[in-house]
Amino acid sequence: MVETRKIVIVREHITCDAFGEPCEQVCRVAAAAVFRNPIAGRFAADLTALFEIGAELGQQLAEQAVSQLKGAPVSYGKAAIVGVSGDMEHGGAVIHPRLGGPMRAAANGGDAVIPSNVKIGAAGTSIDLPLGHKDNPWSFDHFDTMTLCVPDGPRPEEIVMFLAYADRGRPIPRCGSGPIKT
């Protein structure tokens, strides 16, 4: 059973680009759970407990995040920061094997791989959570990032798991719709 210390929701409404140029409103929502890492401080070949935590928290957080969007989710991403008594593989175990299902269900599907990032860090460490279109992995307009942190997490024996959704791509995207073929 997961021992969750806190849930954090971050909601952004973007109405203009960095230079003040108005854009169609973009809503991005990230949800984070700070929880005790049940295998912190030791090697474990079997990471099933972390797979289960990803699935359990994933369903809860995905539903909460999507409910905060202004429009339907079109892009998504996930990340984890593992406290210093853990291992990178612990973060991967939380966000890879079982988190995708609940995230896709909350987004009403999703054919594309969910972009992700994992790192080790102390309390207050930030992470860049990548976002990508849920169905089209080549939609350059939806390549985006949210920089996120929880000021008091993760503690050494904790993990912070993040997932995020957006209801449109970047403000005023101008990078094209796919790779340039030469």
Side-chain angles (χ1 to χ4, degrees):
M1 177 174 196
V2 62
E3 295 177 37
T4 305
R5 181 164 64 88
K6 66 165 46 175
I7 303 288
V8 177
I9 306 290
V10 176
R11 187 176 178 193
E12 298 180 344
H13 291 281
I14 303 161
T15 57
C16 64
D17 74 357
F19 300 103
E21 189 68 31
C23 66
E24 292 187 55
Q25 183 170 307
V26 179
C27 182
R28 294 186 220 157
V29 178
V34 181
F35 59 92
R36 189 182 74 73
N37 179 351
I39 54 177
R42 64 184 172 87
F43 175 82
D46 181 358
L47 303 179
T48 304
L50 295 173
F51 302 168
E52 301 302 323
I53 289 171
E56 180 181 336
L57 289 175
Q59 181 176 5
Q60 176 187 351
L61 295 179
E63 290 170 1
Q64 288 180 15
V66 168
S67 75
Q68 297 289 316
L69 287 173
K70 287 272 210 176
V74 296
S75 61
Y76 52 26
K78 57 190 178 179
I81 305 171
V82 179
V84 296
S85 291
D87 184 73
M88 289 273 293
E89 202 65 12
H90 299 169
V94 169
I95 68 170
H96 292 307
R98 302 276 315 276
L99 179 57
M103 286 187 69
R104 286 182 175 84
N108 295 314
D111 291 330
V113 170
I114 303 170
S116 65
N117 193 7
V118 174
K119 70 192 292 186
I120 302 288
T125 294
S126 66
I127 193 162
D128 291 331
L129 182 149
L131 292 165
H133 195 282
K134 71 183 189 79
D135 296 309
N136 180 359
W138 291 103
S139 177
F140 286 12
D141 292 356
H142 294 85
F143 292 172
D144 206 350
T145 304
M146 290 183 77
T147 300
L148 301 162
C149 77
V150 175
D152 66 344
R155 293 176 179 161
E157 296 185 352
E158 291 179 332
I159 296 174
V160 182
M161 182 181 88
F162 299 90
L163 54 82
Y165 296 89
D167 61 8
R168 68 174 51 258
R170 293 184 318 281
I172 317 174
R174 301 175 299 281
C175 292
S177 60
I180 297 173
K181 301 193 180 184
T182 57

